[in-house]
Amino acid sequence: MDVLRVVLGDQLSRDVAALQGLNPKRDAVLMMEVRDETEYVPHHKQKLVLILSAMRHFAADLREAGIRVEYVNLDDPDNTESFTGELQRTVDRFKPCKVAVTEPSEWRVQQMVDDWKTGLNVPVEVLQDDRFFASHTRFREWAKGRKTWTMEHFYREMREEHDILMSHGKPEGGRWNFDADNRKRLPAKTTPPNRARFTPDEITRAVIEMVEEQFAQNFGTLEAFGWPVTRSEALAALDDFLQNALPHFGDYQDAMKAGAPFLYHSLIAPAINIGLLSPREVCVAAEAAWRGGDAPLNAVEGFIRQILGWREYVRGIYWALMPDYAAMNALKASRPLPEFYWSGVTDMHCMHQAIDSTRHHAYSHHIQRLMLTGNFALLAGVAPAEIEQWYLAVYADAFEWVELPNTHGMILYADGGILGSKPYAASGNYINKMSDYCKNCEYDVKVKNGKDACPFNYLYWNFFLKNQEKLKNNPRLWTAFSNIKNMSEERKKQIENDSKEFMNTI
Ligand code: FAD
Ligand code: DLZ
Ligand code: SF4
């Protein structure tokens, strides 16, 4: 054997670096299902099914194309349970001249790959993952010498560099950002479109059976599993989004509605993150929809910014600052994660909706993650590691390189402001403005204190009172702190007592 080409579970792209230049007559591909990966967090059952089924489909496609695949099943009696063990076993058996692997997406796995370079008796070539717009080096170059790492600045450079939504060196429509036209509340009578979901085939059904049996205690249900597990299903999911949801993506990007888990979101993060779709083709397709008159610019720019901007930017932050980034805890938050994040049992209707969708679909949309489960964790002072483990476990799209900066930086402000210039704290008023949740809640969003009051109302002020010393000089929080200045001692006491009492009940 010439080259043993390793493909990890989130590298399922036919043109991934480790597969480039493959010689079917002399090379082989190694894919490994291992317990180290299936158990490093208690993954949602749907996430396990998605990844294992997509891996098995990918291996089958490679074989069909005449490529030799060494595939290790989770139940293989000789499985050593780790990437390193399985690679060593394969190298010992086939004695390849070289091992080629695409750089892993997560720091944890990168440590293993670094050890391979010295620990295996064979040369190991680690190749850059060119599926992203910005390499690690490109992000570091951009970040070098800047006082603040502002996403919007990075995004504009990416737009220019990759010629996306540009016209003669200027942004299409004369503006870089159309957010001012976005973020509407969903009108009560508007029904979001039905979305493409994919019926499990024989391979997926076998994985479902295995997961139900071997991961019975894991979070989540499998009845509604409908994620794309092949390249052709992923393309169909993208097509469904472009036709049915993209035109309203911008308008209702921040909206929330009871019983509507998907709204106008793309649902493609799981497919992009495991390699079934490329971020580039997705941006190109969205731009083409605008150029063809099928979607307005505010929607298309808003969507492209999430992928070309946010997705690349959080990856850059992760790789520039790991492993120290994960250990930061600027607000010294220390509370354990409330049990209802796993059970969904809570009288807060908004939180129940977000957790219920998470349980049944391994999905909740961005604004639910940010302004509900994230906002609550921030206000309640949940320890970063506790809530990060939850986010990493429960979403079909969860990988640490994207989850960690969003949780640690965007919602918790645990990085002290590297990623966001202020914490995304919000009271019940915001949730009521953007959703229809409050009308069916046990709590009253209009009441500020006491047992009937919406908990987000007093927890919001309690958060600023508790973190006053750390946050009061932030110019973006001027309004909050000038309110606190004028607050009576009695009201402050009330806020503290209500918060304490509420937190004691959960
Ligand atoms: P859409 O709303 O349709 O957005 C389009 C695409 O843009 C997404 O598919 C995704 O690829 C990208 N995107 C959007 N927002 C972000 C963002 N903030 N960071 C990076 N990419 C973004 N996304 C993940 O892919 N994996 C995660 O583990 C993850 N964890 C998150 C944790 C928290 C606390 C928060 C606030 C956000 C997290 N996100 C994560 C970002 C975002 O919520 C998801 O990408 C999105 O909800 C996925 O659904 P969608 O495909 O329908 O996205
Ligand atoms: C998330 C995941 C799971 C649950 N299982 C596997 C697996 O058995 N084999 C595999 O190759 N990949 C798996 N993955 C995805 C890996 O965790 C992912 O490839 C790494 O996080 C990359 O850094
Ligand atoms: Fe959520 Fe408060 Fe509204 Fe209830 S009243 S749904 S807890 S924001």
Side-chain angles (χ1 to χ4, degrees):
M1 183 187 294
D2 260 6
V3 187
L4 180 63
R5 297 171 182 271
V6 177
V7 174
L8 302 176
D10 61 353
Q11 299 178 340
L12 309 180
S13 319
R14 283 299 290 270
D15 60 352
V16 75
L19 296 183
Q20 289 171 19
L22 180 145
N23 180 342
K25 292 205 183 85
R26 304 160 71 107
D27 300 347
V29 172
L30 173 63
M31 297 181 69
M32 307 162 270
E33 295 180 3
V34 292
R35 297 231 173 241
D36 265 10
E37 297 306 305
T38 57
E39 291 176 6
Y40 73 89
V41 285
H43 299 287
H44 192 298
K45 287 177 187 162
Q46 290 199 21
K47 184 179 173 195
L48 290 168
V49 171
L50 166 74
I51 289 168
L52 300 182
S53 171
M55 284 176 65
R56 291 180 185 191
H57 279 95
F58 190 76
D61 285 351
L62 290 178
R63 283 183 178 139
E64 209 169 299
I67 296 167
R68 174 173 161 198
V69 182
E70 294 299 322
Y71 193 95
V72 184
N73 271 79
L74 206 56
D75 289 336
D76 182 331
D78 296 326
N79 194 325
T80 55
E81 324 288 15
S82 74
F83 283 150
T84 303
E86 285 315 285
L87 177 57
Q88 181 72 67
R89 207 157 65 90
T90 315
V91 166
D92 291 347
R93 270 170 72 204
F94 300 110
K95 307 209 171 5
C97 301
K98 184 172 99 174
V99 167
V101 60
T102 312
E103 63 191 3
S105 64
E106 294 178 316
W107 193 84
R108 177 179 61 80
V109 182
Q110 178 66 54
Q111 301 313 293
M112 302 176 202
V113 171
D114 283 347
D115 289 343
W116 297 352
K117 288 187 217 156
T118 48
L120 296 171
N121 288 330
V122 63
V124 176
E125 187 179 11
V126 183
L127 300 148
Q128 185 180 308
D129 191 346
D130 54 14
R131 296 172 302 169
F132 290 88
F133 286 98
S135 65
H136 301 325
T137 314
R138 178 67 188 93
F139 184 85
R140 285 201 181 94
E141 258 169 36
W142 171 81
K144 202 171 166 199
R146 284 174 194 263
K147 265 206 192 124
T148 51
W149 293 355
T150 307
M151 196 292 292
E152 188 68 26
H153 299 159
F154 173 75
Y155 165 61
R156 290 176 190 185
E157 272 196 34
M158 289 294 108
R159 286 266 298 273
E160 285 185 287
E161 197 162 304
H162 297 279
D163 195 25
I164 292 184
L165 280 184
M166 299 295 293
S167 169
H168 307 292
K170 297 241 159 22
E172 286 290 7
R175 268 151 62 191
W176 291 101
N177 183 315
F178 285 79
D179 254 2
D181 304 349
N182 293 347
R183 311 195 158 159
K184 300 183 177 84
R185 193 180 204 270
L186 191 73
K189 288 201 176 122
T190 305
T191 310
N194 286 330
R195 303 302 296 279
R197 306 298 283 162
F198 301 88
T199 310
D201 66 1
E202 206 179 315
I203 294 180
T204 304
R205 286 200 303 273
V207 180
I208 286 178
E209 208 174 291
M210 182 188 77
V211 167
E212 285 289 26
E213 200 186 296
Q214 298 188 22
F215 297 88
Q217 301 311 317
N218 285 37
F219 177 77
T221 62
L222 280 168
E223 284 74 25
F225 183 91
W227 294 107
V229 292
T230 62
R231 165 92 177 137
S232 59
E233 286 181 349
L235 285 171
L238 174 61
D239 212 44
D240 168 63
F241 167 65
L242 294 171
Q243 287 189 33
N244 298 315
L246 177 63
H248 292 298
F249 176 86
D251 290 349
Y252 304 126
Q253 200 178 342
D254 283 8
M256 297 178 275
K257 184 180 166 74
F262 305 139
L263 293 168
Y264 297 88
H265 292 273
S266 66
L267 317 182
I268 59 169
I272 306 190
N273 291 353
I274 63 174
L276 300 180
L277 291 173
S278 91
R280 204 175 301 266
E281 77 184 329
V282 168
C283 291
V284 166
E287 177 168 0
W290 171 66
R291 293 201 186 277
D294 296 326
L297 189 54
N298 69 309
V300 171
E301 186 284 313
F303 176 71
I304 286 178
R305 179 159 19 93
Q306 306 312 311
I307 295 181
L308 179 63
W310 279 109
R311 187 171 185 272
E312 297 287 326
Y313 170 79
V314 297
R315 178 176 183 256
I317 296 225
Y318 177 81
W319 280 102
L321 300 177
M322 277 298 279
D324 299 346
Y325 193 72
M328 293 176 181
N329 188 358
L331 300 181
K332 302 215 178 329
S334 59
R335 190 181 292 280
L337 186 71
E339 177 52 30
F340 71 77
Y341 273 74
W342 297 107
S343 69
V345 179
T346 164
D347 285 339
M348 291 179 282
H349 187 220
C350 53
M351 293 292 281
H352 172 73
Q353 285 282 327
I355 296 165
D356 215 39
S357 159
T358 305
R359 187 210 294 275
H360 293 302
H361 301 291
Y363 181 85
S364 73
H365 60 74
H366 183 66
I367 212 69
Q368 291 177 310
R369 296 187 204 191
L370 187 66
M371 302 314 289
L372 299 178
T373 46
N375 184 28
F376 187 89
L378 170 77
L379 301 185
V382 175
E386 292 257 329
I387 182 75
E388 273 151 25
Q389 217 222 16
W390 185 79
Y391 277 114
L392 195 52
V394 301
Y395 292 115
D397 54 47
F399 290 88
E400 193 190 60
W401 65 268
V402 52
E403 174 277 324
L404 185 72
N406 270 296
T407 312
H408 215 69
M410 198 181 296
I411 67 169
L412 296 181
Y413 200 72
D415 64 4
I418 296 172
L419 190 141
S421 51
K422 71 174 182 70
Y424 262 97
S427 69
N429 190 32
Y430 174 88
I431 297 166
N432 192 31
K433 199 171 89 190
M434 295 312 297
S435 78
D436 62 355
Y437 296 145
C438 299
K439 65 182 185 207
N440 288 317
C441 185
E442 293 290 312
Y443 298 104
D444 189 337
V445 72
K446 301 279 182 229
V447 179
K448 307 287 176 229
N449 281 101
K451 71 177 180 27
D452 292 335
C454 164
F456 282 93
N457 289 344
Y458 46 77
L459 289 176
Y460 174 81
W461 288 113
N462 189 56
F463 169 77
F464 285 114
L465 286 168
K466 256 182 71 186
N467 293 293
Q468 212 165 161
E469 284 316 306
K470 294 184 192 100
L471 299 174
K472 69 181 179 198
N473 294 325
N474 185 325
R476 294 197 63 200
L477 297 174
W478 186 86
T479 320
F481 284 109
S482 63
N483 269 317
I484 283 183
K485 232 187 216 162
N486 296 325
M487 213 178 247
S488 68
E489 284 310 310
E490 192 195 351
R491 171 126 165 79
K492 285 185 194 166
K493 209 72 246 125
Q494 220 175 6
I495 287 166
E496 269 172 34
N497 286 343
D498 284 344
S499 303
K500 214 179 264 167
E501 250 173 58
F502 176 77
M503 291 314 297
N504 282 342
T505 66
I506 53 168

